[in-house]
């Protein structure tokens, strides 16, 4: 069982972006100190739901401040990036961190970001497979040319090569693999796309165990149909996103989150603007918070451990990215991370 945190850099009502980002940095340092496996960083633009606009930039800072923990993006939104530029950053972070970086990618939403960054609605609706393929080519090959509908360029050398990880003076031969790539999946289409490349999935915190189990089953079927061998299909390290709040006493953790999260959700989700003025329905913030508390490790340590173990048993997923900043408070967030490491992890071993 590999337990990590999911960091949104959420800006709660009454807070500034600097406070949210400081909490993101401190919670990562606390995660390493507490023995957690990983930290996954979200990327958002123009909304207080999350004030980190570049997950790779924040990952670079956090990789420099830590020594052991894995740092990943959850996710870098491909329609807002040139795939070669993003792949170059991923290779750089992989090489300079000693292989501790994971690149999570997704297609995002139909937000005004597409207008600002010039990707356009077509990049969101149709361009993700081409962009993902170009990222993978860049991370796996010595030379790459763009021959797709959106990206066309002559063949160029890949520098630096992501698979040339320096092992140190005792072993001067380069490593054989580049950074892990994880795909955020929200539909059967994206599940099949990830499976074709045998890439692990990141599954959202709004999904219950039954839905996640169905997506894992679909991924395995599609991966086998794509010709991937059983030893690859069966060990795919998918990641389940969720919420964690560890508090003693029945209902104390849920009560805390129901008080703190709806204000942030209402402010943050309502700020999203669609690029084409399409109608969207915002979740009820209180009902959504209660849903998340019922699905995920929210409660005393024993309950939290049991819910994580149950999800692993039902879905086959043993990696978790857990939102720990639901209180909106720095001290409470650090304590929440500490308790995940000290009180929950030992119950899962």
């Amino acid at each position: 069982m590999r337990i990590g945190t999911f960091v949104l850099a959420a800006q709660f009502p009454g807070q500034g972006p600097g406070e949210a980002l400081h909490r993101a940095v401190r919670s990562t340092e606390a995660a390493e100190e507490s023995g957690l496996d990983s930290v996954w960083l979200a990327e958002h633009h123009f909304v207080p739901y999350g004030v980190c606009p570049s997950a790779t930039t924040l990952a670079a800072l956090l990789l420099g401040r830590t020594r052991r923990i894995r740092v990943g993006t959850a996710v870098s939104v491909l329609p807002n990036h040139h795939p070669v530029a993003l792949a170059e950053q991923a290779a750089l972070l992989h090489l300079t961190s000693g292989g501790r970086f994971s690149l999570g990618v997704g297609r995002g939403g139909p937000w005004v970001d597409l207008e600002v960054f010039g990707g356009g609605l077509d990049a969101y609706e149709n361009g993700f497979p081409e962009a993902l393929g170009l990222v993978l080519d860049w991370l796996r090959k010595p030379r790459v040319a763009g021959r797709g509908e959106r990206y066309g360029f002559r063949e160029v050398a890949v520098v630096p090569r992501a698979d040339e990880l320096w092992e140190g003076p005792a072993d001067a031969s380069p490593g054989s693999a580049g950074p892990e790539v994880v795909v955020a999946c929200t539909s059967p289409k994206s599940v099949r796309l990830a499976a074709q490349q045998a890439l692990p999935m990141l599954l959202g915190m709004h999904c219950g165990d039954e839905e996640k189990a169905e997506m894992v089953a679909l991924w395995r079927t599609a991966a086998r149909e794509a010709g991937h061998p059983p030893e690859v299909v069966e060990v795919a390290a998918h990641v389940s996103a969720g919420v964690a709040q560890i508090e003693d006493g029945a209902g104390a953790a849920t009560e805390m989150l129901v008080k703190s999260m709806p204000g942030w959700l209402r402010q943050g989700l309502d700020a999203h603007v669609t690029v084409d003025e399409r109608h969207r329905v915002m979740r009820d913030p209180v009902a959504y918070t209660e849903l998340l508390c019922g699905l995920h490790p929210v409660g005393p340590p024993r309950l939290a451990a049991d819910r994580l173990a149950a999800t692993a048993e039902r879905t086959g997923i043993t990696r978790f990215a857990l939102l720990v900043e639901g209180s909106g408070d720095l001290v409470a967030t650090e304590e929440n991370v500490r308790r995940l490491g000290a009180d929950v992890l030992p119950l899962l071993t």
Side-chain angles (χ1 to χ4, degrees), residues 107 184-194 201-203 206-207 211 215 218:
R107 71 181 190 124
C185 293
T186 58
S187 68
K189 184 178 180 180
S190 56
V191 171
R192 292 189 181 94
L193 178 63
M201 300 183 290
L202 172 68
L203 301 180
H206 61 284
C207 299
E211 184 176 353
M215 296 175 82
L218 175 60

Side-chain angles (χ1 to χ4, degrees), residues 35-291:
L36 300 186
D37 171 77
S38 52
V39 173
W40 297 86
L41 308 173
E43 173 185 307
H44 294 91
H45 300 276
F46 323 125
V47 293
Y49 180 74
V51 298
C52 172
S54 173
T56 52
T57 300
L58 185 55
L61 170 71
L62 297 177
L63 286 166
R65 290 202 177 192
T66 56
R67 292 294 176 266
R68 174 196 57 81
I69 202 165
R70 175 166 291 275
V71 179
T73 61
V75 292
S76 295
V77 182
L78 264 183
N80 294 338
H81 299 271
H82 193 292
V84 169
L86 183 62
E88 285 186 321
Q89 293 173 53
L92 182 64
L93 294 178
H94 171 71
L95 294 169
T96 56
S97 69
R100 291 192 291 126
F101 177 71
S102 294
L103 177 64
V105 294
R107 71 181 190 124
W111 311 127
V112 72
D113 316 5
L114 298 165
E115 176 184 320
V116 174
F117 296 113
L121 196 58
D122 185 63
Y124 163 72
E125 294 180 335
N126 304 305
F128 186 69
E130 179 188 344
L132 176 61
L134 192 50
V135 166
L136 296 176
D137 282 349
W138 196 268
L139 295 176
R140 295 171 176 175
K141 297 179 179 180
R143 299 183 65 85
V144 174
R147 298 190 175 93
E149 293 183 7
R150 187 173 184 83
Y151 300 102
F153 53 87
R154 71 187 71 181
E155 186 179 271
V156 293
V158 174
V159 180
R161 289 280 303 279
D163 58 355
E164 294 182 342
L165 181 62
W166 182 254
E167 302 292 346
D171 180 1
S173 60
S176 59
E180 174 188 39
V181 178
V182 178
V183 179
C185 293
T186 58
S187 68
K189 184 178 180 180
S190 56
V191 171
R192 292 189 181 94
L193 178 63
Q196 289 167 5
Q197 298 286 350
L199 299 175
M201 300 183 290
L202 172 68
L203 301 180
M205 60 185 180
H206 61 284
C207 299
D209 290 349
E210 182 177 351
E211 184 176 353
K212 288 179 178 177
E214 291 173 353
M215 296 175 82
V216 170
L218 175 60
W219 187 96
R220 288 174 174 167
T221 298
R224 287 192 292 266
E225 290 173 349
H228 297 293
E231 59 268 25
V232 171
V233 174
E234 297 303 321
V235 302
H238 306 301
V239 183
S240 175
V243 175
Q245 188 66 43
I246 312 304
E247 300 287 338
D248 295 320
T254 296
E255 182 179 353
M256 172 185 284
L257 295 187
V258 170
K259 286 181 178 179
S260 59
M261 287 180 61
W264 157 61
L265 289 168
R266 185 177 293 108
Q267 170 184 275
L269 295 177
D270 193 49
H272 282 89
V273 176
T274 56
V275 69
D276 55 359
E277 308 304 325
R278 71 178 66 182
H279 176 70
R280 65 185 185 89
V281 178
M282 188 178 78
R283 292 176 180 269
D284 176 82
V286 175
Y288 186 43
T289 301
E290 292 173 340
L291 170 69

